[in-house]
Amino acid sequence: MSTPAQAQRDRSIGRGVSTLIPQSATDQAMAALTGLETVPVHVGLLQAATLLLEDAARTATDESTKAAM
């Protein structure tokens, strides 16, 4: 059983954590890009990934899945 003071403290902690998470889609995208590193990738890997995505889009039955692919 928590006291009102503990409940208030827990809510305050939750608000503090939520301020660390970007709220807008733009801020979220910028945060995601910040974590990325440039690494060399073999061209064949990119070609294979493209073929797999094209095949998955062709065989998908859900329209939103096709659009995402």
Side-chain angles (χ1 to χ4, degrees):
M1 181 181 248
S2 67
T3 66
Q6 287 172 328
Q8 177 63 32
R9 185 197 70 203
D10 291 346
R11 280 193 295 276
S12 295
I13 290 171
R15 272 184 287 214
V17 170
S18 68
T19 60
L20 298 173
I21 302 168
Q23 299 303 311
S24 73
T26 302
D27 290 341
Q28 289 175 356
M30 287 175 57
L33 289 173
T34 300
L36 295 178
E37 256 182 66
T38 302
V39 295
V41 177
H42 192 274
V43 173
L45 179 64
L46 295 175
Q47 291 171 335
T50 302
L51 290 173
L52 289 171
L53 283 172
E54 287 175 348
D55 185 55
R58 201 173 24 257
T59 59
T61 58
D62 181 26
E63 287 302 317
S64 62
T65 303
K66 283 183 182 183
M69 300 279 179

